[in-house]
Structures are given as C-alpha cells and as structure tokens.
Amino acid sequence: MEVLSTIVNVVVLIALIGVLLYMQKKHVSFSKRVFTGLGLGILFGVSLQLIFGRSSDVIKDSVDWFSLVGNGYVKLLQMVAIPLIMVSIISAIIKVKAKSGVGKLSTLIIGLLLFTTAISAAVGISAALGFNLKAVNIEQGEKEQKRGEYLNGKLADVEDKTIPQQILDVVPSNPFDDMTGSRPTSTIAVVIFAAFIGIAVRGIAKKKPAEAELFTKFVEAVYAVVMRIVTIVLRLTPYGILALIAKVTATTNYAEIAKLGQFVIASYVALIVMFIIHLIIIALNGLNPVTYVRKALPVLSFAFTSRTSAGALPLNVDTQVKKLGVSEGIANFSASFGLSIGQNGCAGIYPAMLAIMIAPTVGIDPFSFNFIATLIAVVTISSFGVAGVGGGATFAAIIVLSTMNLPVALAGLLISVEPLIDMGRTALNVSGSMTAGLVTSKVTKDLDVNVYNAPSRVEDVDGGVTA
C-alpha cells in the first residue's frame, strides 16, 4: 500500500510538471510559470502532509523521489556557479570601463554589502529586543542538545582565530582546491583569484597586446559557452521550484514551528523590515522600488525555496542584466561578492538576534550600548567569507558568538525552525547583492534605465518574453 501511494504521489508530481510544460508550449511567461510552480508545490506538499502525516514512510519515500527534480536542479545550478564566477569576473575586469575602474566598482559594491549588513544587524537586534527573545525561555530537548554539541565541535575551527586571521582565510593559497568548495571561504577565494587574472590581463594589454587579445577571445568563448549552460539550466526553474517547495511543505513540522512561533515571527519581521530598507535605498537612488520587486520576485522565490545563494547566482546575474539594466560587469561583481561578503540575512540579522537572545544567560545586559555597538561591528566584519550555501548562517553565528564570548551551543535551540527561517534569510541575501549591484550601476551611470523601466515585456530565458 505504501509503495502504491508513493507511486501515485510521484505520478502526481509528474502531472504537475506536465502542466508547467504545457504552459511553456503555450508561451506563458517565465515569471508566471515560476509562480505557478510555487503555488502548485505548496498545495501539493500541504495536501501530502494532511493525507499521510509528516513522519510517514510514504512522505519520506515520496520526497526522496521529488529530490531528483528539486535537488537535482539545485546541483545543476551549483555545478555552473564556480565556472560562472571565474569567467564572469575575469571578463568583467577585462571589459570594465576606465571611468568606473575595477577598484572603484569593487569598493562600492563591497561597501554597500557591508553597510547593509551593519543595518541588518541593527534590525536583528531591534527585533530580538522588541520581541523580548531569550534563550532561557526555549525548551531544550534531545535534538537541541545534539545540535549544541555539533556547534561546539565546529567551534574548534574558529575559536583560536582572531578576526584578522579569519579575514586572511579568504585569501586563496590553492585556488584549484577552492574551486571544489573545500572551505567555507572558497567562493570569495575564487573571486579573488579570478580578479587577479583579470587585472593581470589588463596589465599586459599595453605591453603584449597580441597575447592579451588572444586570452580575451578565449575568455569570451568560454563565457559564451558557460552562459549557454546557464540558460539551459534556468529553463528548469519552474520545475525545480515545484519540487523543492512540495518537499518543504510536506516535511515541515508545524507543531515545532508553533512552539518557537515568537522567534519565527520576530525573524520574519526583521527580514521584511530589511527588505523594505533595500527598497528605500533603491528609491533614494531615483528608481521605482515596485519595479524592482516585480522583476526580482522570480529569483527571490527560487532563493527562498532552494535556500542557496550560490545556486541562485546564475538567475541573480541574469535578472540584474536582462531585467534591471545593470551592466554585466557590475552584475557579476555584486552577485559573486554577495555570495561570501555581507549576506544581510545569514551573516547580519541571524547572528545578531542569537547574540541578543543568548547574552542574558551569561549575565550580559543586551540593552547595553557598548554591547550593541560591539555586536554590530563584529557582525559586519565577520560577514566576510560566509559561504552562500546551506550552513552559511551557522558558520556566521559561530564566529560572532565565539568572538563575543557567548556560548555557541545555545544556538542549537533553534534547530527545529532553522529551515523555515533559512528560506527568508537566503532570499534577503540575494536581494542584498542585487541591491548593491543596482545602486552601484546607478552611481557609476552604467545603469540602462530604459531596461529597468521597461514595462513587463523583456527578454525571457526561454527566448520569449516575460509578461
């Protein structure tokens, strides 16, 4: 009976994929198909949990099959992420306009990412204080204790390192090893290595123009191939989101969420407030924030369901360039830097809220001005090198809590709601990188305002138009 039920569930998923394929054949816009996939996935996942129960073998076996589509899609995006970062950064530096300058662009983007991270830390602190969140009020069960022990084990990786040493970790010593994602700071290390290659090419262009031109043509050829792969993978977005959100809604423990409801609500209030701040920043730069929301929603929806900023990289760059009018160079810089620097959700709001919650357990007044100021500074500096994949927030929390001399294990109290909160954090991370790219492009006057303000019919990843 269980096997039959699993087969039926898989068949239903295939049927829903068929609906999305039919919509594609009818030339329904990419954005509409993404949101249709999101809606169908939510309805399907909730229905499965109501019928079979979250912990049933049927649900377990069904979502295992769903992962072929959902996690398979995420893996394909992660597959192309490092090649895209490498070739995009090199190409961007080679082609960057002299008036903008590599140094100026990098400084602006990184500065914006760190600035918004500092603000997000303040927002997280305000939310934790406003909702009176305290770690001592959270019940600690076996699962929470195991999570705490795990975090204490991870603490050994960073507790003996000073902040300068942690920043030094982002410098690549073996870039080819970093291309395998062997370290939490691998992504930013690859960005730095690619930047050195691009700067070197610009340097030899004056002395050895023939060699520089040959290498540039090679990079352009590789870039064209990588972007074609990106386009092919992005076409799978509606199906990936359908399977991912169905898995999430079918397996979420809503009872556990209810127990920690106050923290979940406080977290999402902070995330929403920070997203509104992104919109205010965009508006202050003379751009319509409503336009940004409408055009950024598909990539933010993917980030929300997949919980991976790195996986969202191709869609992030594509959206900035084709829908928001950001230049390719700036889009690639901001999306790549945003993977490991200044993640507003994972490296900003989350560790700040945890520190405020945990501080009273060791006799620290969380309302202390010195404590809050120090916390904001530590969160901002520690946001360097946070991996844009699942677990990045944990890494950031360990660094911040250990630096502030707070017990790391208490962060394990929130394990039950981690996936739910991580969805919102990841979406905010991606929005932060897109905001940095958009504002930088506007400041350097590289923004194509006509593309940004274009009504709704812009080029789609399917080669059609977006409604």
Side-chain angles (χ1 to χ4, degrees):
M1 186 63 181
E2 291 180 355
V3 174
L4 179 60
S5 297
T6 300
I7 293 174
V8 170
N9 292 339
V10 173
V11 169
V12 172
L13 179 69
I14 294 173
L16 294 177
I17 291 174
V19 171
L20 296 175
L21 282 169
Y22 177 78
M23 293 175 67
Q24 180 178 345
K25 289 181 180 179
K26 289 296 182 180
H27 303 292
V28 176
S29 72
F30 179 73
S31 297
K32 288 181 179 178
R33 283 185 279 121
V34 167
F35 289 113
T36 299
L38 182 64
L40 291 175
I42 292 173
L43 292 174
F44 185 37
V46 171
S47 299
L48 288 177
Q49 183 165 156
L50 290 174
I51 295 170
F52 300 104
R54 181 184 64 86
S55 301
S56 69
D57 289 336
V58 173
I59 292 290
K60 180 180 178 181
D61 294 339
S62 296
V63 298
D64 197 27
W65 283 100
F66 295 174
S67 296
L68 286 176
V69 179
N71 292 353
Y73 170 62
V74 172
K75 284 182 176 294
L76 288 176
L77 284 168
Q78 292 172 334
M79 169 193 75
V80 78
I82 292 298
L84 179 61
I85 290 172
M86 279 288 297
V87 72
S88 296
I89 293 296
I90 295 172
S91 178
I93 292 177
I94 292 175
K95 295 179 180 179
V96 72
K97 297 177 182 178
K99 67 176 183 179
S100 300
V102 177
K104 180 180 179 181
L105 290 181
S106 300
T107 301
L108 272 172
I109 292 170
I110 294 175
L112 282 166
L113 289 170
L114 295 179
F115 173 67
T116 53
T117 299
I119 295 176
S120 67
V123 170
I125 290 169
S126 300
L129 292 175
F131 281 83
N132 194 30
L133 299 179
K134 294 181 180 178
V136 293
N137 294 334
I138 300 176
E139 182 180 348
Q140 187 170 6
E142 182 181 352
K143 184 167 59 174
E144 286 76 16
Q145 289 177 350
K146 288 183 178 179
R147 178 65 172 178
E149 292 171 1
Y150 167 80
L151 293 176
N152 272 330
K154 286 289 185 181
L155 177 61
D157 297 335
V158 297
E159 65 178 344
D160 294 329
K161 293 183 179 180
T162 63
I163 289 181
Q165 289 172 334
Q166 292 169 18
I167 295 176
L168 188 63
D169 277 346
V170 306
V171 180
S173 58
N174 185 344
F176 299 101
D177 183 50
D178 283 318
M179 288 178 195
T180 67
S182 60
R183 303 185 297 152
T185 56
S186 285
T187 303
I188 190 63
V190 170
V191 171
I192 293 172
F193 177 61
F196 268 99
I197 294 176
I199 293 170
V201 174
R202 287 174 67 93
I204 66 173
K206 298 178 181 178
K207 298 180 179 179
K208 298 181 179 180
E211 286 84 347
E213 183 179 358
L214 178 63
F215 186 82
T216 299
K217 288 182 178 179
F218 169 74
V219 170
E220 289 175 350
V222 174
Y223 182 79
V225 173
V226 170
M227 289 310 297
R228 181 57 185 168
I229 296 173
V230 168
T231 300
I232 294 171
V233 175
L234 289 183
R235 288 176 178 174
L236 304 174
T237 301
Y239 318 109
I241 285 182
L242 166 66
L244 287 167
I245 198 64
K247 177 180 178 180
V248 169
T249 51
T251 57
T252 296
N253 189 333
Y254 298 105
E256 292 289 345
I257 291 173
K259 290 180 182 178
L260 295 171
Q262 189 177 26
F263 179 78
V264 174
I265 293 172
S267 296
Y268 271 91
V269 166
L271 292 169
I272 292 170
V273 167
M274 192 60 213
F275 181 66
I276 292 173
I277 291 174
H278 287 171
L279 301 183
I280 292 173
I281 292 173
I282 290 170
L284 290 175
N285 281 273
L287 300 171
N288 188 338
V290 177
T291 300
Y292 169 78
V293 172
R294 189 179 73 249
K295 295 186 175 183
L297 264 180
V299 63
L300 297 182
S301 297
F302 169 75
F304 185 84
T305 53
S306 67
R307 297 169 52 200
T308 164
S309 300
L313 175 69
L315 194 56
N316 184 337
V317 174
D318 186 77
T319 300
Q320 286 195 59
V321 174
K322 295 182 180 178
K323 296 184 179 181
L324 300 178
V326 177
S327 65
E328 285 191 8
I330 292 175
N332 284 303
F333 270 125
S334 65
S336 300
F337 283 144
L339 290 181
S340 294
I341 298 176
Q343 292 192 348
N344 291 182
C346 289
I349 288 176
Y350 182 66
M353 290 184 71
L354 282 179
I356 292 296
M357 290 174 60
I358 295 173
T361 65
V362 291
I364 296 176
D365 179 11
F367 288 92
S368 166
F369 175 78
N370 287 337
F371 176 76
I372 291 175
T374 302
L375 178 58
I376 292 175
V378 169
V379 167
T380 304
I381 296 172
S382 299
S383 68
F384 275 88
V386 176
V389 295
T394 299
F395 182 71
I398 290 174
I399 293 176
V400 171
L401 295 177
S402 62
T403 303
M404 299 293 292
N405 295 316
L406 297 172
V408 172
L410 289 179
L413 295 173
L414 304 171
I415 184 174
S416 298
V417 294
E418 265 294 299
L420 178 62
I421 299 170
D422 195 41
M423 295 167 77
R425 291 192 309 236
T426 307
L428 187 67
N429 294 342
V430 174
S431 177
S433 69
M434 294 176 72
T435 300
L438 188 58
V439 172
T440 298
S441 201
K442 186 69 164 59
V443 169
T444 58
K445 299 181 180 180
D446 287 322
L447 183 70
D448 190 333
V449 181
N450 291 328
V451 171
Y452 184 87
N453 292 325
S456 35
R457 301 180 68 81
V458 294
E459 187 178 351
D460 190 10
V461 295
D462 295 322
V465 294
T466 317

